[in-house]
Amino acid sequence: MYQYDKLDQALVDARTREFRDQVNRRLAGTLTEEEFKPLRLMNGLYLQLHAYMLRVAIPYGVMSSRQMHQLAFIADKYDRGYGHFTTRQNIQFNWPQLVETPDILDDLATVQMHAIQTSGNCIRNVTTDPFAGVAADESVDPRAVCELLRQWSTGMPEFSYLPRKFKFALTGATADRAAIKFHDIGLQLKRGADGQTLTDIWVGGGQGRTPRIAQLLKQNIAVEDLLPYLDAVMRVYNLYGNRDNKYKARIKILVASLGLDVFAAKVEAEFTRADRSRFDGVTDTLARIESRITVPDYKLSANADEASQSLASKRAADPAFDAWVKTNVFEHIQQGYRIAVISLKPVGGIPGDASSDQMRLVARLAETFSSAEIRVTHRQNLVLPHVALQHLHELWMQLCGAGLAESNVDLPSDIIACPGLDYCALAKARSIPVAQQLSSQLRGREANNNLTGLSINISGCINACGHHHVASVGILGLEKKGVETYQITLGGRNNLDASVGEVLGPGFSADEVPQAVNQLVDTWVQRREAQESFSDTYDRVGKQVFAEAVYAAP
Amino acid sequence: MLLHSDGRVELTLPEVPLATNTVVCGGTDPQSLTTDVLRQPIIEIQFASAADGRGYSVARHLRVTLRYAGTLTASGSMLPDQLAYLYKAGFDQVVVDETLLLKHSAEDWLAAHKRCCHDRPYGTQSYSEAAVSGRASVWQQRVSG
Ligand code: SF4
């Protein structure tokens, strides 16, 4: 992973001092809450339903064991002994006291962590493929460009008071595990004919109340032009984005209202006209970043054959281990190594939550088995990216002892859920209890039916933080006459064949949701052909078939 | 008062020059600015609200794209905590008028000014943007070792 130097550290330290000063002024009353709000939001501090919430950045979802240990320490010292990993590959603490938040930031800064730009109308923490750098299907490792974007956008005055928040996602692989088409800007990195890195830029994607699939803005942009071009995109958005209505303020609305061609022409004009001196030496900066991304030595690669035989016999002997390897272990670019995903979706659990003990265990396991590196996925799970074949069984046994060995990655019980009405001030309905009930119900079925290809995402309101639009089965919490109701959407996809789910029909009460979901799963299992995903079956057979099954039921 | 990015402070606002400035509102489309404006010794960009960042892009357009060499002045709605951002974005001076002083005391403004111009390092640095008073950006510092 990328190693901060003393200039990075100085910047984080300075920011922490600035925030302490702001909190002191707020506590002394010289800053009103209204004035404090944009300042605290720049540092990830929200005011939720019951308390403040601090969102800590995990840049592009990569962290070290040392950092995870510190998150566990913070969870114990300042919170209630747990943290919540989010769809933006960050972590949230739900119960900090305002007066203690500067101390939390100080403690984070000791391990180069911070909460910079995890909220507010600025460029947010960049997200990427959780398998970046190790995925077998990757042509360009996106981490250096992610770090370049992080640096470029950090503390940048021009893009700190945008019309609305702004999210980047990057991938360099064939399979899109970063949902780039549902971000304000999605970058797809690839190799050119001469081996150089080229980037396609997608713009105007997003979820929320107006879901949009991003459109292709520019193809094959060279590395040295990437930042100047993105700078031009941001300037056009900053100048022309809607500032009167926050629901029309995202770049997707600007692109839709101008039309892609007009928007692209404005960007192109700005790109051509703008002074590029700020970006002199950007390729050297990128090379310097690349040189500071550590690569494990993979010394167990040599024993790959032997290790894979021994793994096969362990799998044959233990069906539970075999099931875990099938669902939670992925191909690695390095012979003899695998990527192991740790599910934070235990049956009946809260998606994305981890206790401090679990965090410490994962930190220790990463030290022992994964070069002390951990990733966070946008499905709210954790990843150990460099596990040797011969360590998989030992790793699994240790995870079993801590309730972290659920074999359900990418299965229906691997549910994304936003915090909903249990925490969020904007929520209309609860998400977490619905997720808990559905995971208990679906987990049993997963053992009997092969349910790969069906995802369930739950949002507690139309803001769609739980990504319901892009799930095979999306569940959206609404309030009807003071009662929580849930609308179901079908057929979403967040990969490169992106699609937005369609509303099935009238909503359901919380009690009715599990049965409705069961009927949807039944219908898919009956109607699917071969390895078809839920959304592919849905596209082929149509909504009516599913609606009849659900609404005709007694 | 008038705060300068080089660290100077004028406690009272000069009456004459500011009244004759070319005033550009933060929401102006920079494409509508003609080259006439470049001959003005002072250009004042007014921020409609502290949350409206368009003035930064207008400033950048004037300073970097059009290479405006005169004095760039920020006025309107701002917070003391934004001074560093304004200086980094190329503003030479910031007008703290009576309205702003009603919201934040002169001490608050002076403290913020001191923090970003004199106390270093503070939370004002960025990687790609040269900081106030000729300080190098983080990227430039790395190149120069
Ligand atoms: S989707 Fe709504 S309820 Fe859920 S976290 Fe976002 S704003 Fe809150």
Short mmCIF file of all heavy atoms in Angstrom, two decimals, chain A residues 124 319 380 419 431 462 514:
data_model
loop_
_atom_site.label_atom_id
_atom_site.label_comp_id
_atom_site.label_asym_id
_atom_site.label_seq_id
_atom_site.Cartn_x
_atom_site.Cartn_y
_atom_site.Cartn_z
N ARG A 124 -15.03 13.86 -2.71
CA ARG A 124 -15.00 12.91 -1.59
C ARG A 124 -13.93 11.85 -1.80
O ARG A 124 -13.37 11.72 -2.89
CB ARG A 124 -16.38 12.24 -1.47
CG ARG A 124 -17.53 13.20 -1.22
CD ARG A 124 -17.53 13.70 0.19
NE ARG A 124 -18.75 14.44 0.49
CZ ARG A 124 -19.89 13.89 0.92
NH1 ARG A 124 -19.98 12.59 1.09
NH2 ARG A 124 -20.94 14.65 1.19
N PRO A 319 -16.51 -29.76 4.33
CA PRO A 319 -17.43 -29.06 3.44
C PRO A 319 -17.63 -27.58 3.80
O PRO A 319 -17.83 -26.75 2.92
CB PRO A 319 -18.76 -29.82 3.62
CG PRO A 319 -18.41 -31.09 4.29
CD PRO A 319 -17.11 -30.92 4.99
N GLN A 380 -19.41 -3.50 1.73
CA GLN A 380 -19.26 -3.45 3.19
C GLN A 380 -18.65 -4.70 3.80
O GLN A 380 -19.03 -5.12 4.89
CB GLN A 380 -20.60 -3.14 3.87
CG GLN A 380 -21.28 -1.87 3.37
CD GLN A 380 -22.64 -1.64 4.03
OE1 GLN A 380 -23.61 -2.28 3.64
NE2 GLN A 380 -22.69 -0.77 5.00
N PRO A 419 -27.61 3.00 7.18
CA PRO A 419 -27.97 3.01 8.60
C PRO A 419 -29.48 3.20 8.86
O PRO A 419 -30.00 2.75 9.89
CB PRO A 419 -27.17 4.19 9.16
CG PRO A 419 -26.03 4.36 8.20
CD PRO A 419 -26.59 4.00 6.86
N SER A 431 -33.66 0.35 7.94
CA SER A 431 -33.05 -0.56 6.97
C SER A 431 -32.48 -1.78 7.67
O SER A 431 -32.56 -2.90 7.18
CB SER A 431 -31.88 0.10 6.23
OG SER A 431 -32.19 1.39 5.86
N ILE A 462 -35.04 7.92 -0.03
CA ILE A 462 -34.79 8.10 -1.45
C ILE A 462 -33.34 8.53 -1.76
O ILE A 462 -32.90 8.47 -2.89
CB ILE A 462 -35.82 9.13 -2.00
CG1 ILE A 462 -35.83 9.20 -3.51
CG2 ILE A 462 -35.63 10.49 -1.41
CD1 ILE A 462 -36.44 7.97 -4.12
N PRO A 514 -40.22 -9.92 3.85
CA PRO A 514 -39.55 -11.23 3.72
C PRO A 514 -40.30 -12.18 2.78
O PRO A 514 -39.69 -12.85 1.94
CB PRO A 514 -39.54 -11.77 5.15
CG PRO A 514 -39.58 -10.54 6.00
CD PRO A 514 -40.45 -9.57 5.26
#
